[in-house]
Amino acid sequence: MNQEIINAFEVIKNGGIILYPTDTVWGIGCDATNPEAVAKIYQLKQRTESKSMICLMNGEKMMYNVFKEIPEVAWQILDLSEKPTTLILDNPRNVAPNLISEDKSLGIRLVKEPFCFKLLERMKKPLVSTSANISGQPTPSSFKEISPEIIKGVDYVVNLQHEKIAGKPSTIIKLTNDSQVKIIRK
């Protein structure tokens, strides 16, 4: 796995996009601070930039680098969540502008899964994560379900196809700075 982290990091550092296993499904990712790399993912997925993507992070420090204010309820949800949970928070900063949605929010998920966690440690920046499919197509639940178009369209495929992943997207909860909570996906 260590060699895969090094390989993925080199591609990301040079503005490339990768196909990799997350804590939920196979994802397409890049450096969340690089707008050109983010644009490559939108193009590959044939997705409009108004449909935002999420970022993976590996801890509190990275979250506070992106969000000045994090509602207390966010920490409570993260502490109580038994499955991967994406939080949509207001007013992100220090990320590519084309990642931020029109309502000035950004979805993030803290990961503990070893590959993503170690890659994030090396990057010291958030990692874009979006399902490995063309926009509007079903989310692949395993590597073998990923379309050849996606595989050919990335700069690097992480060689961990044998890794067991959940195969299901995360729960998504939107939290606003004025304490509103809305469940987007269970």
Side-chain angles (χ1 to χ4, degrees), residues 23-166:
D23 53 338
T24 55
V25 297
W26 274 81
I28 304 169
C30 69
D31 172 353
T33 66
N34 182 330
E36 291 81 20
V38 170
K40 284 188 206 174
I41 294 178
Y42 280 118
Q43 192 175 359
L44 176 61
K45 284 187 64 91
Q46 299 169 25
R47 186 176 184 158
T48 62
E49 288 196 7
S50 62
K51 287 196 84 178
S52 57
M53 298 183 286
I54 73 160
C55 292
L56 300 182
M57 299 184 183
N58 66 353
E60 234 178 87
K61 186 177 176 190
M62 202 175 277
M63 280 181 66
Y64 277 113
N65 189 42
V66 175
F67 300 98
K68 198 171 175 174
E69 286 180 60
I70 300 173
E72 185 53 41
V73 70
W75 301 113
Q76 293 166 356
I77 290 169
L78 291 171
D79 287 344
L80 297 171
S81 295
E82 291 177 13
K83 64 181 198 171
T85 300
T86 298
L87 297 179
I88 300 172
L89 303 173
D90 287 341
N91 304 317
R93 59 194 177 155
N94 301 326
V95 293
N98 52 347
L99 263 183
I100 300 170
S101 70
E102 290 170 346
D103 69 355
K104 303 281 182 267
S105 67
L106 178 67
I108 61 103
R109 190 165 74 243
L110 287 180
V111 289
K112 295 179 180 86
E113 176 277 321
F115 174 80
C116 292
F117 188 87
K118 289 177 180 162
L119 179 58
L120 285 159
E121 268 185 338
R122 188 168 274 244
M123 289 173 61
K124 297 181 179 29
K125 298 174 184 180
L127 175 68
V128 170
S129 183
T130 182
S131 55
N133 60 326
I134 302 293
S135 206
Q137 300 292 315
T139 299
S141 58
S142 66
F143 183 81
K144 61 181 180 287
E145 292 177 19
I146 299 170
S147 78
E149 190 177 355
I150 293 288
I151 294 169
K152 286 185 195 119
V154 298
D155 299 303
Y156 185 70
V157 177
V158 172
N159 188 15
L160 294 173
Q161 290 86 345
H162 61 280
E163 292 288 305
K164 185 83 182 109
I165 58 174

Side-chain angles (χ1 to χ4, degrees), residues 4-16 18 119 122:
E4 288 305 310
I5 291 164
I6 292 165
N7 295 350
F9 174 70
E10 286 303 316
V11 169
I12 289 168
K13 187 175 75 174
N14 293 310
I18 64 168
L119 179 58
R122 188 168 274 244

